[in-house]
Structures are given as C-alpha cells and as structure tokens.
Amino acid sequence: HAPGLPVPEQQSAAVAGWVGRVVAGHRIDALIGEGGMGVVYRASHLQLRRTVALKVLPPALTADREYRHRFEREAAIAASLEHPNVVPIYDAGHANGVLYLSMRFVDGEDLGAVLRREGRFDVERLCSVLEPVADALDAVHAAGLVHRDVKPGNVLISRPSRPHARGHVYLCDFGIAKAAAAGGRELTAVGQYMGTLHYSSPEQIEGRWVDGRSDQYGLACLVFRALTGQVLYPRPETAAVIYAHLAADPPRPS
C-alpha cells in the first residue's frame, strides 16, 4: 500500500508508462500512489517471486549525488529494523537511473483512509492501533532513527484474514527518517523542513534538531485526529496552522 500517497484521478503519461517496466529486478505491475516524494507501485520481485511495494523517487533527487548517498544510508538503517509492526524493507539503491526502495506489500489500507470513511474511533479501537504504532516507534528510536512523518497515512492496516478479526498494524515510510545518535551527522539537514504540517512538532517546523519526542508529538496529533474526527488545528491557511503549532494552546479533545 502507498503510505500517505493519494492515487490521482488521472495518471500522467510518464507515471503510467512505467507499468510493465523492469527496475532492479522488479517488474512494475500497477500504480498504487503518487506524491511529492515519489511514486509507489505494486511490483513483482522476479528472482524471489513475491509481490512488493516499490517506491521510485523523483528524477531530480536521483540526480543529486549528495541526496542519493544520504538516501542509501537512510535505507540501510531503516532496513536493519526488525519489528513486527514496522514494514520490512527488502532492497534499496540506484539502478536504471532511478532511486528505488523495495518493501513489503501490505494488502489493506492506511489509517487515513479508514478515518475518512468512518469519521473517528472510540477509545478501545484507537488503542488497538495506538499500541503497535507506539511500540514500533520505540524500536525506531532505539535504533537511532527519528521517523519525522508520523501521520495516519503512514499507518497501514492489513486486510483481516478472517471475519470479525482486526488487521495487522504497520508503521511505514522512512523516506525522510534521519540518524539521531549523539555526535552523528544528520541525514536530513538542520533547517530543512520535511514532514506533514498537521502532524509536525514546533521544532520540526522551525527546522531545529529533533529527536524521538518530535515523533511523540506527531503521534499525539494522530490520536487527536482519531478521537475527534478533525486535525489538531483546522485552519484555512498554512500560515495559521504553522502559528498554531508554534504558539497556540492545544485544544482539549473533549
């Protein structure tokens, strides 16, 4: 499933033209979603004979040697994570003139889609999603990573294997994660904002150094959205949302 990338009503010719193409041993079978940080396809790993989600980054990023090096290091760190609620990364690299990331294909939908359809969750159902996501974030932080984009679109829920069962919950999309180990060089530069505004901490918006507490802020924004049916600061203008995150008193879920 494409983490947080909405499927466009009309695919561009360039994106649609990739179906059937082979990239680094993966045959692209269908478009899943498209967004600013890349395109995600359902693909078949030809040698291993399994279905995967293949993320292909924009050509402009591929041409940036520094970004390419940073991406490959980020992918290696993210691939080292072994946790039942973290989407496994199988492969990543630079091939055929593109940067790609190959990961488990989750047959299901993201939490954002569920909330758009159902409006909001009761506390019991919210906790069934919150616990595995929080546990996955603990593992991410223990590995020296900060996710930087915790939001409903990056929480995947697999299709239940039997009636009345709940699907497995995954945290996904480490495309903008960064190393947080003391003394380590940042993989995403200080002063560069990357994330989703409605779920971003004040320090992240300001481009300051962030650690796991920033992800906890994003998780709290996700909880607020799931409980109330609206984002933390529903403002019509981007500037107003930024100001609210930086200076407003947080609203009470009640």
Side-chain angles (χ1 to χ4, degrees):
H1 192 84
L5 302 180
V7 177
E9 293 183 1
Q10 295 183 343
Q11 303 171 15
S12 66
V15 170
W18 280 64
V19 176
R21 182 174 175 179
V22 175
V23 176
H26 300 79
R27 185 190 68 237
I28 294 176
D29 298 325
L31 174 71
I32 299 177
E34 183 179 4
M37 291 301 292
V39 180
V40 180
Y41 298 96
R42 189 183 76 245
S44 300
H45 193 293
L46 298 177
Q47 185 173 359
L48 299 180
R49 298 181 180 178
R50 67 179 170 190
T51 300
V52 303
L54 186 71
K55 184 172 185 175
V56 177
L57 275 68
L61 295 178
T62 304
D64 185 333
R65 182 175 299 179
E66 181 180 352
Y67 181 90
R68 189 167 69 236
H69 182 58
R70 186 167 69 241
F71 168 81
E72 290 170 346
R73 284 191 295 155
E74 288 180 342
I77 296 172
S80 70
L81 292 171
E82 294 187 12
H83 190 278
N85 301 109
V86 173
V87 172
I89 294 175
Y90 299 139
D91 191 16
H94 179 236
N96 305 98
V98 298
L99 278 174
Y100 70 92
L101 186 71
S102 174
M103 57 197 132
R104 175 177 293 172
F105 176 79
V106 177
D107 181 17
E109 57 186 342
D110 65 60
L111 178 60
V114 177
L115 290 171
R116 285 192 296 273
R117 183 177 66 247
E118 300 184 12
R120 59 184 180 178
F121 287 177
D122 59 30
V123 173
E124 181 182 1
R125 187 170 184 198
L126 171 63
C127 288
S128 71
V129 174
L130 178 62
E131 183 176 359
V133 172
D135 198 42
L137 280 174
D138 279 345
V140 169
H141 299 156
L145 287 172
V146 181
H147 188 284
R148 295 178 74 96
D149 201 19
V150 178
K151 62 181 180 181
N154 281 338
V155 175
L156 303 184
I157 304 174
S158 68
R159 217 172 298 281
S161 57
R162 61 185 187 278
H164 309 298
R166 285 175 172 164
H168 193 79
V169 176
Y170 294 94
L171 177 67
C172 68
D173 202 350
F174 293 83
I176 58 174
K178 56 162 269 186
R185 180 178 177 270
E186 280 193 273
L187 299 184
T188 301
V190 169
Q192 178 183 9
Y193 169 74
M194 301 185 80
T196 302
L197 187 56
H198 283 297
Y199 301 90
S200 293
S201 66
E203 62 270 21
Q204 188 175 358
I205 291 171
E206 292 179 332
R208 294 188 279 119
W209 177 267
V210 300
D211 59 22
R213 290 171 294 184
S214 186
D215 286 342
Q216 291 174 346
Y217 185 97
L219 189 61
C221 293
L222 181 153
V223 168
F224 189 93
R225 166 67 181 88
L227 280 177
T228 68
Q230 67 179 25
V231 294
L232 186 65
Y233 298 115
R235 308 287 196 269
E237 301 294 335
T238 298
V241 178
I242 291 174
Y243 176 81
H245 277 291
L246 298 179
D249 292 331
R252 302 173 70 91
S254 56

